[in-house]
Amino acid sequence: MILMLSEKSCGAIIYLKNGSERLYLLLKYTSGHWDFVKGNIETDEAEKETVVRELREETGIIDASFVGNFREKIEYFYRRRQGEDVHKEVFFYIMKTCTENITLSFEHVDSIWLNYTQAIEKLTFKNAKDLLKKANLFLNKLEK
C-alpha cells in the first residue's frame, strides 16, 4: 500500500472597497499562475493564525479583518519536484483591508487589485474561480 503525502494550507480572499466597488487582490506566483494569498499551516498554528501570517508575509498587509463565517475548502493533487504526489487541502476565509499598497514576498512576481469580473478572468485555476464566485455571493448577501 502506498501512502500519499498530504498537506493542509490556509488562505484568504482579500478585498478592499473603492467607492462602491469591491476589488479583490490576486497574486502572481513564480510558476506563473494567478491565485489568492495562501500557505502551509505551521506547527501549533490555528487556521486563522496561518491566514494572518501568510497575508503579512506575502503582501505586507497587517490591517485586515475576517468577514463573516465564510470558510471554504478546495483540494487538489500536485507532484513535487522529487516526483512525490501530494494531496493538498486549502481552507479559505474572506478578509477586508484598507491597505492598497502591497509589498510582495519572494514567492510572488506581481499583484493586482481587480473587480469581480476582471478577477474571474485573471484567475488561472477553475477551483480559484469557483471560490471567488462563492465569496462574491457571500459578500453580496452580507452587504444587502
Side-chain angles (χ1 to χ4, degrees):
M1 181 171 85
I2 299 172
L3 289 176
M4 181 172 292
L5 296 171
S6 64
E7 288 180 356
K8 181 180 175 186
S9 292
C10 292
I13 297 124
I14 310 298
Y15 78 96
L16 57 76
K17 291 296 281 254
N18 182 4
S20 64
E21 190 171 45
R22 199 181 301 129
L23 299 179
Y24 295 98
L25 177 63
L26 303 185
L27 301 177
K28 187 173 187 180
Y29 285 71
T30 54
S31 57
H33 69 281
W34 288 91
D35 208 344
F36 303 109
V37 168
K38 67 176 186 276
N40 288 336
I41 294 178
E42 294 184 354
T43 308
D44 297 328
E45 198 173 46
E47 287 182 2
K48 287 186 174 183
E49 290 173 327
T50 300
V51 174
V52 169
R53 178 182 52 76
E54 288 292 336
L55 180 61
R56 184 186 68 245
E57 290 175 0
E58 295 184 0
T59 69
I61 294 175
I62 57 173
D63 75 335
S65 57
F66 289 95
V67 177
N69 60 353
F70 186 93
R71 180 179 180 265
E72 286 287 330
K73 177 177 82 168
I74 63 170
E75 48 189 323
Y76 54 90
F77 296 90
Y78 76 93
R79 179 159 287 160
R80 288 188 176 160
R81 286 195 179 110
Q82 303 88 344
E84 302 165 306
D85 289 328
V86 179
H87 173 245
K88 180 127 181 166
E89 290 183 315
V90 189
F91 293 88
F92 280 94
Y93 294 85
I94 297 174
M95 295 185 84
K96 182 179 183 179
T97 186
C98 293
T99 301
E100 193 170 348
N101 292 329
I102 302 301
T103 305
L104 286 177
S105 74
F106 67 93
E107 298 174 72
H108 305 98
V109 294
D110 202 1
S111 67
I112 192 165
W113 291 99
L114 297 172
N115 68 30
Y116 173 74
T117 306
Q118 295 165 326
I120 286 286
E121 287 294 311
K122 188 72 125 171
L123 284 165
T124 305
F125 300 118
K126 182 185 183 306
N127 59 8
K129 292 175 193 272
D130 292 344
L131 187 65
L132 181 58
K133 288 174 187 170
K134 288 179 184 176
N136 196 62
L137 281 170
F138 180 88
L139 289 169
N140 287 346
K141 287 179 184 172
L142 204 63
E143 292 178 0
K144 277 189 175 170

